[in-house]
Amino acid sequence: MTPRTEHRPQMTVEEFEELERHAPETVRLEFINGKVVVKPMADGNHREMIAWLQRVCMQHRPDLWLHAESGLKTERYRKGRARADGVLVRVGGLKGQGEWSEADGALIAVEITSYDSDTNRRDRVEKPDGYAAAGIPVYLLIDRDDASVVVFNQPENGRYRHEEKLPFGATLKLPEPVNFTLDTEPLKEFVD
């Protein structure tokens, strides 16, 4: 007799969006690779780092705005939903968008690692692939675990072809279409 395997249907994007609409405000959900993921709430340093990056972006590119905690349609055929720590778009670029914006207007997606067990899989593996598949030109990962910044760019076939990792304190060039130099020295003050 052959053992029976149970087939569990995968949640659809529509079912996820309905679930997310009814989640308490203290719970932030994402839908990555067909799975519901609970994203940790940001701590004070995390929020300060995003605020710092908003100021820097505004100084260098006043035609752009870095929106914190922005929902994006990601992955192939927009079947994923990621809540990026930051999304850089042209001023007014999210006008008329719903909770989950199309990724075509995003110039850069930003993630700051959290201190939880899923950060490696989520921020270093799944999100770069999802953002690349959505065609977001640049992904900036601020990695608090090893005090580094990683810039991914040149998305092609669901992957970024280029990545550069530098320690906090280094100066790095954010590539086109962002196109400005980022001095990461201020990030050193957030190392725990």
PDB file of all heavy atoms in Angstrom, residues 25-32 36-42 46 50 68-71 81-86 100 110-114 116 118-119 122-123 127 131 139:
ATOM      1  N   GLU A  25      -2.753  46.015  13.418  1.00  0.00           N
ATOM      2  CA  GLU A  25      -1.743  47.002  13.016  1.00  0.00           C
ATOM      3  C   GLU A  25      -0.342  46.658  13.500  1.00  0.00           C
ATOM      4  O   GLU A  25       0.638  47.109  12.928  1.00  0.00           O
ATOM      5  CB  GLU A  25      -2.134  48.385  13.535  1.00  0.00           C
ATOM      6  CG  GLU A  25      -3.280  49.002  12.790  1.00  0.00           C
ATOM      7  CD  GLU A  25      -3.596  50.409  13.277  1.00  0.00           C
ATOM      8  OE1 GLU A  25      -2.715  51.044  13.888  1.00  0.00           O
ATOM      9  OE2 GLU A  25      -4.723  50.860  13.042  1.00  0.00           O
ATOM     10  N   THR A  26      -0.239  45.883  14.550  1.00  0.00           N
ATOM     11  CA  THR A  26       1.069  45.530  15.106  1.00  0.00           C
ATOM     12  C   THR A  26       1.721  44.361  14.372  1.00  0.00           C
ATOM     13  O   THR A  26       2.840  43.983  14.698  1.00  0.00           O
ATOM     14  CB  THR A  26       0.934  45.168  16.597  1.00  0.00           C
ATOM     15  OG1 THR A  26      -0.013  44.111  16.717  1.00  0.00           O
ATOM     16  CG2 THR A  26       0.495  46.376  17.409  1.00  0.00           C
ATOM     17  N   VAL A  27       1.032  43.800  13.373  1.00  0.00           N
ATOM     18  CA  VAL A  27       1.569  42.670  12.615  1.00  0.00           C
ATOM     19  C   VAL A  27       1.750  43.108  11.170  1.00  0.00           C
ATOM     20  O   VAL A  27       0.818  43.606  10.541  1.00  0.00           O
ATOM     21  CB  VAL A  27       0.608  41.454  12.687  1.00  0.00           C
ATOM     22  CG1 VAL A  27       1.110  40.316  11.807  1.00  0.00           C
ATOM     23  CG2 VAL A  27       0.428  40.995  14.114  1.00  0.00           C
ATOM     24  N   ARG A  28       2.963  42.929  10.657  1.00  0.00           N
ATOM     25  CA  ARG A  28       3.244  43.267   9.263  1.00  0.00           C
ATOM     26  C   ARG A  28       3.500  41.974   8.503  1.00  0.00           C
ATOM     27  O   ARG A  28       4.389  41.206   8.868  1.00  0.00           O
ATOM     28  CB  ARG A  28       4.449  44.195   9.172  1.00  0.00           C
ATOM     29  CG  ARG A  28       4.187  45.506   9.898  1.00  0.00           C
ATOM     30  CD  ARG A  28       5.342  46.444   9.864  1.00  0.00           C
ATOM     31  NE  ARG A  28       6.574  45.787  10.262  1.00  0.00           N
ATOM     32  CZ  ARG A  28       7.789  46.204   9.938  1.00  0.00           C
ATOM     33  NH1 ARG A  28       7.935  47.275   9.222  1.00  0.00           N
ATOM     34  NH2 ARG A  28       8.861  45.566  10.349  1.00  0.00           N
ATOM     35  N   LEU A  29       2.699  41.734   7.484  1.00  0.00           N
ATOM     36  CA  LEU A  29       2.800  40.496   6.720  1.00  0.00           C
ATOM     37  C   LEU A  29       3.377  40.751   5.336  1.00  0.00           C
ATOM     38  O   LEU A  29       3.167  41.803   4.741  1.00  0.00           O
ATOM     39  CB  LEU A  29       1.419  39.854   6.579  1.00  0.00           C
ATOM     40  CG  LEU A  29       0.703  39.477   7.863  1.00  0.00           C
ATOM     41  CD1 LEU A  29      -0.692  38.934   7.546  1.00  0.00           C
ATOM     42  CD2 LEU A  29       1.499  38.470   8.662  1.00  0.00           C
ATOM     43  N   GLU A  30       4.093  39.732   4.834  1.00  0.00           N
ATOM     44  CA  GLU A  30       4.599  39.735   3.471  1.00  0.00           C
ATOM     45  C   GLU A  30       4.235  38.391   2.850  1.00  0.00           C
ATOM     46  O   GLU A  30       3.969  37.417   3.566  1.00  0.00           O
ATOM     47  CB  GLU A  30       6.123  39.909   3.448  1.00  0.00           C
ATOM     48  CG  GLU A  30       6.585  41.232   4.005  1.00  0.00           C
ATOM     49  CD  GLU A  30       8.092  41.373   4.010  1.00  0.00           C
ATOM     50  OE1 GLU A  30       8.771  40.541   4.647  1.00  0.00           O
ATOM     51  OE2 GLU A  30       8.585  42.309   3.372  1.00  0.00           O
ATOM     52  N   PHE A  31       4.243  38.312   1.536  1.00  0.00           N
ATOM     53  CA  PHE A  31       3.937  37.083   0.806  1.00  0.00           C
ATOM     54  C   PHE A  31       5.101  36.821  -0.130  1.00  0.00           C
ATOM     55  O   PHE A  31       5.215  37.428  -1.188  1.00  0.00           O
ATOM     56  CB  PHE A  31       2.631  37.287   0.033  1.00  0.00           C
ATOM     57  CG  PHE A  31       2.035  36.033  -0.537  1.00  0.00           C
ATOM     58  CD1 PHE A  31       1.739  34.950   0.271  1.00  0.00           C
ATOM     59  CD2 PHE A  31       1.734  35.955  -1.885  1.00  0.00           C
ATOM     60  CE1 PHE A  31       1.170  33.806  -0.254  1.00  0.00           C
ATOM     61  CE2 PHE A  31       1.159  34.818  -2.432  1.00  0.00           C
ATOM     62  CZ  PHE A  31       0.869  33.737  -1.613  1.00  0.00           C
ATOM     63  N   ILE A  32       6.016  35.947   0.298  1.00  0.00           N
ATOM     64  CA  ILE A  32       7.267  35.726  -0.426  1.00  0.00           C
ATOM     65  C   ILE A  32       7.377  34.252  -0.806  1.00  0.00           C
ATOM     66  O   ILE A  32       7.263  33.368   0.043  1.00  0.00           O
ATOM     67  CB  ILE A  32       8.475  36.154   0.442  1.00  0.00           C
ATOM     68  CG1 ILE A  32       8.361  37.646   0.777  1.00  0.00           C
ATOM     69  CG2 ILE A  32       9.782  35.855  -0.274  1.00  0.00           C
ATOM     70  CD1 ILE A  32       9.400  38.156   1.733  1.00  0.00           C
ATOM     71  N   VAL A  36       3.322  33.045   3.542  1.00  0.00           N
ATOM     72  CA  VAL A  36       3.065  34.216   4.376  1.00  0.00           C
ATOM     73  C   VAL A  36       4.214  34.330   5.371  1.00  0.00           C
ATOM     74  O   VAL A  36       4.574  33.357   6.033  1.00  0.00           O
ATOM     75  CB  VAL A  36       1.730  34.089   5.132  1.00  0.00           C
ATOM     76  CG1 VAL A  36       1.521  35.267   6.067  1.00  0.00           C
ATOM     77  CG2 VAL A  36       0.573  33.984   4.138  1.00  0.00           C
ATOM     78  N   VAL A  37       4.789  35.511   5.460  1.00  0.00           N
ATOM     79  CA  VAL A  37       5.917  35.770   6.348  1.00  0.00           C
ATOM     80  C   VAL A  37       5.542  36.942   7.254  1.00  0.00           C
ATOM     81  O   VAL A  37       5.011  37.946   6.786  1.00  0.00           O
ATOM     82  CB  VAL A  37       7.180  36.144   5.525  1.00  0.00           C
ATOM     83  CG1 VAL A  37       8.348  36.460   6.437  1.00  0.00           C
ATOM     84  CG2 VAL A  37       7.534  35.034   4.554  1.00  0.00           C
ATOM     85  N   VAL A  38       5.808  36.788   8.549  1.00  0.00           N
ATOM     86  CA  VAL A  38       5.599  37.891   9.488  1.00  0.00           C
ATOM     87  C   VAL A  38       6.905  38.658   9.570  1.00  0.00           C
ATOM     88  O   VAL A  38       7.950  38.113   9.893  1.00  0.00           O
ATOM     89  CB  VAL A  38       5.197  37.372  10.895  1.00  0.00           C
ATOM     90  CG1 VAL A  38       5.041  38.532  11.857  1.00  0.00           C
ATOM     91  CG2 VAL A  38       3.913  36.554  10.817  1.00  0.00           C
ATOM     92  N   LYS A  39       6.832  39.955   9.247  1.00  0.00           N
ATOM     93  CA  LYS A  39       8.025  40.798   9.274  1.00  0.00           C
ATOM     94  C   LYS A  39       8.121  41.450  10.651  1.00  0.00           C
ATOM     95  O   LYS A  39       7.153  42.028  11.134  1.00  0.00           O
ATOM     96  CB  LYS A  39       7.927  41.871   8.186  1.00  0.00           C
ATOM     97  CG  LYS A  39       9.180  42.702   8.076  1.00  0.00           C
ATOM     98  CD  LYS A  39       9.143  43.625   6.879  1.00  0.00           C
ATOM     99  CE  LYS A  39      10.426  44.430   6.825  1.00  0.00           C
ATOM    100  NZ  LYS A  39      10.506  45.276   5.663  1.00  0.00           N
ATOM    101  N   PRO A  40       9.286  41.370  11.295  1.00  0.00           N
ATOM    102  CA  PRO A  40       9.444  41.964  12.629  1.00  0.00           C
ATOM    103  C   PRO A  40       9.239  43.480  12.612  1.00  0.00           C
ATOM    104  O   PRO A  40       9.529  44.141  11.618  1.00  0.00           O
ATOM    105  CB  PRO A  40      10.888  41.638  13.012  1.00  0.00           C
ATOM    106  CG  PRO A  40      11.402  40.707  11.992  1.00  0.00           C
ATOM    107  CD  PRO A  40      10.515  40.763  10.801  1.00  0.00           C
ATOM    108  N   MET A  41       8.752  43.985  13.715  1.00  0.00           N
ATOM    109  CA  MET A  41       8.601  45.434  13.862  1.00  0.00           C
ATOM    110  C   MET A  41       9.993  46.055  13.990  1.00  0.00           C
ATOM    111  O   MET A  41      10.895  45.461  14.575  1.00  0.00           O
ATOM    112  CB  MET A  41       7.764  45.767  15.098  1.00  0.00           C
ATOM    113  CG  MET A  41       6.323  45.264  15.014  1.00  0.00           C
ATOM    114  SD  MET A  41       5.413  45.884  13.602  1.00  0.00           S
ATOM    115  CE  MET A  41       5.010  47.512  14.167  1.00  0.00           C
ATOM    116  N   ALA A  42      10.151  47.235  13.446  1.00  0.00           N
ATOM    117  CA  ALA A  42      11.443  47.921  13.465  1.00  0.00           C
ATOM    118  C   ALA A  42      11.752  48.455  14.859  1.00  0.00           C
ATOM    119  O   ALA A  42      10.878  48.976  15.534  1.00  0.00           O
ATOM    120  CB  ALA A  42      11.426  49.067  12.465  1.00  0.00           C
ATOM    121  N   HIS A  46      16.751  50.908  13.743  1.00  0.00           N
ATOM    122  CA  HIS A  46      16.248  50.617  12.402  1.00  0.00           C
ATOM    123  C   HIS A  46      15.509  51.838  11.844  1.00  0.00           C
ATOM    124  O   HIS A  46      15.766  52.288  10.721  1.00  0.00           O
ATOM    125  CB  HIS A  46      15.311  49.404  12.509  1.00  0.00           C
ATOM    126  CG  HIS A  46      14.883  48.812  11.223  1.00  0.00           C
ATOM    127  ND1 HIS A  46      13.924  49.382  10.429  1.00  0.00           N
ATOM    128  CD2 HIS A  46      15.272  47.670  10.599  1.00  0.00           C
ATOM    129  CE1 HIS A  46      13.722  48.616   9.373  1.00  0.00           C
ATOM    130  NE2 HIS A  46      14.531  47.570   9.458  1.00  0.00           N
ATOM    131  N   ILE A  50      16.599  54.496   8.615  1.00  0.00           N
ATOM    132  CA  ILE A  50      15.730  54.866   7.488  1.00  0.00           C
ATOM    133  C   ILE A  50      15.587  56.389   7.429  1.00  0.00           C
ATOM    134  O   ILE A  50      15.656  56.985   6.358  1.00  0.00           O
ATOM    135  CB  ILE A  50      14.357  54.169   7.590  1.00  0.00           C
ATOM    136  CG1 ILE A  50      14.471  52.707   7.154  1.00  0.00           C
ATOM    137  CG2 ILE A  50      13.294  54.872   6.748  1.00  0.00           C
ATOM    138  CD1 ILE A  50      14.796  52.499   5.684  1.00  0.00           C
ATOM    139  N   ALA A  68       9.197  55.065   3.544  1.00  0.00           N
ATOM    140  CA  ALA A  68       9.439  53.985   4.508  1.00  0.00           C
ATOM    141  C   ALA A  68       8.254  53.027   4.522  1.00  0.00           C
ATOM    142  O   ALA A  68       7.114  53.440   4.295  1.00  0.00           O
ATOM    143  CB  ALA A  68       9.663  54.570   5.903  1.00  0.00           C
ATOM    144  N   GLU A  69       8.549  51.761   4.790  1.00  0.00           N
ATOM    145  CA  GLU A  69       7.516  50.733   4.940  1.00  0.00           C
ATOM    146  C   GLU A  69       6.532  50.726   3.780  1.00  0.00           C
ATOM    147  O   GLU A  69       5.338  50.886   3.959  1.00  0.00           O
ATOM    148  CB  GLU A  69       6.765  50.929   6.259  1.00  0.00           C
ATOM    149  CG  GLU A  69       7.598  50.651   7.479  1.00  0.00           C
ATOM    150  CD  GLU A  69       8.116  49.232   7.520  1.00  0.00           C
ATOM    151  OE1 GLU A  69       7.378  48.288   7.180  1.00  0.00           O
ATOM    152  OE2 GLU A  69       9.289  49.060   7.889  1.00  0.00           O
ATOM    153  N   SER A  70       7.034  50.515   2.598  1.00  0.00           N
ATOM    154  CA  SER A  70       6.201  50.572   1.412  1.00  0.00           C
ATOM    155  C   SER A  70       5.945  49.173   0.859  1.00  0.00           C
ATOM    156  O   SER A  70       6.882  48.385   0.689  1.00  0.00           O
ATOM    157  CB  SER A  70       6.903  51.429   0.355  1.00  0.00           C
ATOM    158  OG  SER A  70       6.027  51.784  -0.659  1.00  0.00           O
ATOM    159  N   GLY A  71       4.675  48.873   0.590  1.00  0.00           N
ATOM    160  CA  GLY A  71       4.311  47.573   0.032  1.00  0.00           C
ATOM    161  C   GLY A  71       4.558  47.549  -1.468  1.00  0.00           C
ATOM    162  O   GLY A  71       4.169  48.458  -2.189  1.00  0.00           O
ATOM    163  N   ARG A  81       4.422  39.781  -2.442  1.00  0.00           N
ATOM    164  CA  ARG A  81       4.141  41.062  -1.798  1.00  0.00           C
ATOM    165  C   ARG A  81       5.207  41.268  -0.724  1.00  0.00           C
ATOM    166  O   ARG A  81       5.266  40.508   0.247  1.00  0.00           O
ATOM    167  CB  ARG A  81       2.745  41.084  -1.152  1.00  0.00           C
ATOM    168  CG  ARG A  81       1.585  40.862  -2.117  1.00  0.00           C
ATOM    169  CD  ARG A  81       1.456  42.049  -3.063  1.00  0.00           C
ATOM    170  NE  ARG A  81       0.327  41.927  -3.968  1.00  0.00           N
ATOM    171  CZ  ARG A  81       0.389  41.435  -5.203  1.00  0.00           C
ATOM    172  NH1 ARG A  81       1.517  40.972  -5.672  1.00  0.00           N
ATOM    173  NH2 ARG A  81      -0.683  41.420  -5.963  1.00  0.00           N
ATOM    174  N   ALA A  82       6.052  42.271  -0.928  1.00  0.00           N
ATOM    175  CA  ALA A  82       7.115  42.566   0.032  1.00  0.00           C
ATOM    176  C   ALA A  82       6.899  43.960   0.601  1.00  0.00           C
ATOM    177  O   ALA A  82       6.544  44.885  -0.121  1.00  0.00           O
ATOM    178  CB  ALA A  82       8.484  42.489  -0.645  1.00  0.00           C
ATOM    179  N   ARG A  83       7.109  44.092   1.885  1.00  0.00           N
ATOM    180  CA  ARG A  83       7.010  45.394   2.531  1.00  0.00           C
ATOM    181  C   ARG A  83       8.446  45.872   2.753  1.00  0.00           C
ATOM    182  O   ARG A  83       9.094  45.520   3.730  1.00  0.00           O
ATOM    183  CB  ARG A  83       6.251  45.265   3.850  1.00  0.00           C
ATOM    184  CG  ARG A  83       5.877  46.608   4.427  1.00  0.00           C
ATOM    185  CD  ARG A  83       4.881  46.478   5.555  1.00  0.00           C
ATOM    186  NE  ARG A  83       3.657  45.797   5.190  1.00  0.00           N
ATOM    187  CZ  ARG A  83       2.661  46.328   4.478  1.00  0.00           C
ATOM    188  NH1 ARG A  83       2.764  47.555   4.045  1.00  0.00           N
ATOM    189  NH2 ARG A  83       1.581  45.644   4.201  1.00  0.00           N
ATOM    190  N   ALA A  84       8.937  46.663   1.799  1.00  0.00           N
ATOM    191  CA  ALA A  84      10.319  47.139   1.857  1.00  0.00           C
ATOM    192  C   ALA A  84      10.480  48.161   2.974  1.00  0.00           C
ATOM    193  O   ALA A  84       9.577  48.954   3.234  1.00  0.00           O
ATOM    194  CB  ALA A  84      10.708  47.778   0.518  1.00  0.00           C
ATOM    195  N   ASP A  85      11.640  48.151   3.615  1.00  0.00           N
ATOM    196  CA  ASP A  85      11.927  49.172   4.630  1.00  0.00           C
ATOM    197  C   ASP A  85      11.947  50.555   3.998  1.00  0.00           C
ATOM    198  O   ASP A  85      11.592  51.536   4.629  1.00  0.00           O
ATOM    199  CB  ASP A  85      13.256  48.879   5.323  1.00  0.00           C
ATOM    200  CG  ASP A  85      13.184  47.643   6.205  1.00  0.00           C
ATOM    201  OD1 ASP A  85      12.101  47.339   6.738  1.00  0.00           O
ATOM    202  OD2 ASP A  85      14.230  46.984   6.364  1.00  0.00           O
ATOM    203  N   GLY A  86      12.369  50.624   2.743  1.00  0.00           N
ATOM    204  CA  GLY A  86      12.365  51.888   2.013  1.00  0.00           C
ATOM    205  C   GLY A  86      12.268  51.644   0.522  1.00  0.00           C
ATOM    206  O   GLY A  86      12.804  50.659   0.017  1.00  0.00           O
ATOM    207  N   TRP A 100      -0.325  47.883  -2.135  1.00  0.00           N
ATOM    208  CA  TRP A 100       0.756  47.147  -2.793  1.00  0.00           C
ATOM    209  C   TRP A 100       1.015  47.791  -4.149  1.00  0.00           C
ATOM    210  O   TRP A 100       0.283  47.585  -5.097  1.00  0.00           O
ATOM    211  CB  TRP A 100       0.400  45.668  -2.926  1.00  0.00           C
ATOM    212  CG  TRP A 100       0.117  45.067  -1.590  1.00  0.00           C
ATOM    213  CD1 TRP A 100      -1.107  44.827  -1.040  1.00  0.00           C
ATOM    214  CD2 TRP A 100       1.075  44.690  -0.611  1.00  0.00           C
ATOM    215  NE1 TRP A 100      -0.956  44.316   0.224  1.00  0.00           N
ATOM    216  CE2 TRP A 100       0.368  44.212   0.517  1.00  0.00           C
ATOM    217  CE3 TRP A 100       2.463  44.704  -0.559  1.00  0.00           C
ATOM    218  CZ2 TRP A 100       1.003  43.754   1.661  1.00  0.00           C
ATOM    219  CZ3 TRP A 100       3.098  44.241   0.586  1.00  0.00           C
ATOM    220  CH2 TRP A 100       2.369  43.773   1.676  1.00  0.00           C
ATOM    221  N   VAL A 110      15.149  49.245  -0.319  1.00  0.00           N
ATOM    222  CA  VAL A 110      16.097  49.230   0.801  1.00  0.00           C
ATOM    223  C   VAL A 110      15.578  48.274   1.875  1.00  0.00           C
ATOM    224  O   VAL A 110      14.393  48.300   2.212  1.00  0.00           O
ATOM    225  CB  VAL A 110      16.245  50.641   1.421  1.00  0.00           C
ATOM    226  CG1 VAL A 110      17.188  50.611   2.623  1.00  0.00           C
ATOM    227  CG2 VAL A 110      16.711  51.651   0.392  1.00  0.00           C
ATOM    228  N   GLU A 111      16.465  47.460   2.396  1.00  0.00           N
ATOM    229  CA  GLU A 111      16.168  46.627   3.561  1.00  0.00           C
ATOM    230  C   GLU A 111      17.271  46.817   4.578  1.00  0.00           C
ATOM    231  O   GLU A 111      18.442  46.974   4.218  1.00  0.00           O
ATOM    232  CB  GLU A 111      16.070  45.140   3.189  1.00  0.00           C
ATOM    233  CG  GLU A 111      14.926  44.780   2.275  1.00  0.00           C
ATOM    234  CD  GLU A 111      13.548  44.932   2.891  1.00  0.00           C
ATOM    235  OE1 GLU A 111      13.428  45.011   4.128  1.00  0.00           O
ATOM    236  OE2 GLU A 111      12.574  44.973   2.116  1.00  0.00           O
ATOM    237  N   ILE A 112      16.877  46.827   5.842  1.00  0.00           N
ATOM    238  CA  ILE A 112      17.807  46.865   6.961  1.00  0.00           C
ATOM    239  C   ILE A 112      17.567  45.584   7.741  1.00  0.00           C
ATOM    240  O   ILE A 112      16.419  45.295   8.099  1.00  0.00           O
ATOM    241  CB  ILE A 112      17.557  48.103   7.848  1.00  0.00           C
ATOM    242  CG1 ILE A 112      17.762  49.386   7.033  1.00  0.00           C
ATOM    243  CG2 ILE A 112      18.459  48.078   9.078  1.00  0.00           C
ATOM    244  CD1 ILE A 112      17.321  50.651   7.733  1.00  0.00           C
ATOM    245  N   THR A 113      18.623  44.825   7.981  1.00  0.00           N
ATOM    246  CA  THR A 113      18.426  43.543   8.652  1.00  0.00           C
ATOM    247  C   THR A 113      17.850  43.735  10.050  1.00  0.00           C
ATOM    248  O   THR A 113      18.130  44.719  10.727  1.00  0.00           O
ATOM    249  CB  THR A 113      19.738  42.734   8.755  1.00  0.00           C
ATOM    250  OG1 THR A 113      20.709  43.525   9.445  1.00  0.00           O
ATOM    251  CG2 THR A 113      20.254  42.326   7.382  1.00  0.00           C
ATOM    252  N   SER A 114      17.030  42.775  10.421  1.00  0.00           N
ATOM    253  CA  SER A 114      16.451  42.732  11.763  1.00  0.00           C
ATOM    254  C   SER A 114      17.168  41.641  12.545  1.00  0.00           C
ATOM    255  O   SER A 114      17.824  40.778  11.967  1.00  0.00           O
ATOM    256  CB  SER A 114      14.958  42.394  11.675  1.00  0.00           C
ATOM    257  OG  SER A 114      14.283  43.364  10.924  1.00  0.00           O
ATOM    258  N   ASP A 116      16.375  38.735  13.869  1.00  0.00           N
ATOM    259  CA  ASP A 116      15.485  37.585  14.020  1.00  0.00           C
ATOM    260  C   ASP A 116      16.037  36.427  13.201  1.00  0.00           C
ATOM    261  O   ASP A 116      16.938  36.598  12.385  1.00  0.00           O
ATOM    262  CB  ASP A 116      14.053  37.951  13.581  1.00  0.00           C
ATOM    263  CG  ASP A 116      13.931  38.183  12.104  1.00  0.00           C
ATOM    264  OD1 ASP A 116      14.493  39.169  11.598  1.00  0.00           O
ATOM    265  OD2 ASP A 116      13.285  37.372  11.436  1.00  0.00           O
ATOM    266  N   ASP A 118      14.870  34.748  10.724  1.00  0.00           N
ATOM    267  CA  ASP A 118      14.580  34.683   9.295  1.00  0.00           C
ATOM    268  C   ASP A 118      15.308  35.728   8.462  1.00  0.00           C
ATOM    269  O   ASP A 118      15.155  35.762   7.252  1.00  0.00           O
ATOM    270  CB  ASP A 118      13.074  34.854   9.054  1.00  0.00           C
ATOM    271  CG  ASP A 118      12.287  33.644   9.500  1.00  0.00           C
ATOM    272  OD1 ASP A 118      12.869  32.544   9.586  1.00  0.00           O
ATOM    273  OD2 ASP A 118      11.082  33.800   9.763  1.00  0.00           O
ATOM    274  N   THR A 119      16.075  36.606   9.080  1.00  0.00           N
ATOM    275  CA  THR A 119      16.675  37.712   8.331  1.00  0.00           C
ATOM    276  C   THR A 119      17.606  37.226   7.226  1.00  0.00           C
ATOM    277  O   THR A 119      17.639  37.817   6.148  1.00  0.00           O
ATOM    278  CB  THR A 119      17.375  38.730   9.259  1.00  0.00           C
ATOM    279  OG1 THR A 119      17.520  39.960   8.553  1.00  0.00           O
ATOM    280  CG2 THR A 119      18.724  38.260   9.744  1.00  0.00           C
ATOM    281  N   ARG A 122      15.303  35.867   4.376  1.00  0.00           N
ATOM    282  CA  ARG A 122      14.413  36.913   3.868  1.00  0.00           C
ATOM    283  C   ARG A 122      15.192  38.043   3.181  1.00  0.00           C
ATOM    284  O   ARG A 122      14.949  38.362   2.021  1.00  0.00           O
ATOM    285  CB  ARG A 122      13.570  37.467   5.020  1.00  0.00           C
ATOM    286  CG  ARG A 122      12.535  38.507   4.621  1.00  0.00           C
ATOM    287  CD  ARG A 122      11.790  39.060   5.828  1.00  0.00           C
ATOM    288  NE  ARG A 122      12.681  39.687   6.788  1.00  0.00           N
ATOM    289  CZ  ARG A 122      12.920  39.210   8.015  1.00  0.00           C
ATOM    290  NH1 ARG A 122      12.329  38.117   8.447  1.00  0.00           N
ATOM    291  NH2 ARG A 122      13.760  39.836   8.826  1.00  0.00           N
ATOM    292  N   ASP A 123      16.129  38.693   3.893  1.00  0.00           N
ATOM    293  CA  ASP A 123      16.790  39.899   3.389  1.00  0.00           C
ATOM    294  C   ASP A 123      17.966  39.632   2.460  1.00  0.00           C
ATOM    295  O   ASP A 123      18.281  40.455   1.605  1.00  0.00           O
ATOM    296  CB  ASP A 123      17.264  40.774   4.544  1.00  0.00           C
ATOM    297  CG  ASP A 123      16.111  41.343   5.361  1.00  0.00           C
ATOM    298  OD1 ASP A 123      14.992  41.463   4.827  1.00  0.00           O
ATOM    299  OD2 ASP A 123      16.328  41.654   6.541  1.00  0.00           O
ATOM    300  N   LYS A 127      14.489  38.365  -0.814  1.00  0.00           N
ATOM    301  CA  LYS A 127      14.173  39.728  -1.260  1.00  0.00           C
ATOM    302  C   LYS A 127      15.021  40.164  -2.455  1.00  0.00           C
ATOM    303  O   LYS A 127      14.480  40.745  -3.394  1.00  0.00           O
ATOM    304  CB  LYS A 127      14.261  40.707  -0.098  1.00  0.00           C
ATOM    305  CG  LYS A 127      13.085  40.485   0.859  1.00  0.00           C
ATOM    306  CD  LYS A 127      12.554  41.753   1.364  1.00  0.00           C
ATOM    307  CE  LYS A 127      11.334  41.507   2.228  1.00  0.00           C
ATOM    308  NZ  LYS A 127      11.072  42.617   3.114  1.00  0.00           N
ATOM    309  N   TYR A 131      13.019  41.329  -5.721  1.00  0.00           N
ATOM    310  CA  TYR A 131      13.178  42.684  -6.246  1.00  0.00           C
ATOM    311  C   TYR A 131      13.773  42.655  -7.655  1.00  0.00           C
ATOM    312  O   TYR A 131      13.386  43.433  -8.519  1.00  0.00           O
ATOM    313  CB  TYR A 131      14.049  43.533  -5.316  1.00  0.00           C
ATOM    314  CG  TYR A 131      13.408  43.832  -3.977  1.00  0.00           C
ATOM    315  CD1 TYR A 131      14.185  43.989  -2.833  1.00  0.00           C
ATOM    316  CD2 TYR A 131      12.026  43.958  -3.828  1.00  0.00           C
ATOM    317  CE1 TYR A 131      13.610  44.279  -1.599  1.00  0.00           C
ATOM    318  CE2 TYR A 131      11.441  44.242  -2.609  1.00  0.00           C
ATOM    319  CZ  TYR A 131      12.236  44.392  -1.498  1.00  0.00           C
ATOM    320  OH  TYR A 131      11.661  44.679  -0.279  1.00  0.00           O
ATOM    321  N   TYR A 139      19.013  47.349  -5.345  1.00  0.00           N
ATOM    322  CA  TYR A 139      18.598  46.896  -4.020  1.00  0.00           C
ATOM    323  C   TYR A 139      19.738  47.211  -3.062  1.00  0.00           C
ATOM    324  O   TYR A 139      20.881  46.815  -3.297  1.00  0.00           O
ATOM    325  CB  TYR A 139      18.301  45.396  -4.041  1.00  0.00           C
ATOM    326  CG  TYR A 139      18.093  44.770  -2.672  1.00  0.00           C
ATOM    327  CD1 TYR A 139      17.234  45.336  -1.733  1.00  0.00           C
ATOM    328  CD2 TYR A 139      18.748  43.592  -2.315  1.00  0.00           C
ATOM    329  CE1 TYR A 139      17.034  44.753  -0.495  1.00  0.00           C
ATOM    330  CE2 TYR A 139      18.553  42.999  -1.078  1.00  0.00           C
ATOM    331  CZ  TYR A 139      17.695  43.585  -0.175  1.00  0.00           C
ATOM    332  OH  TYR A 139      17.502  43.010   1.068  1.00  0.00           O
TER     333      TYR A 139
END
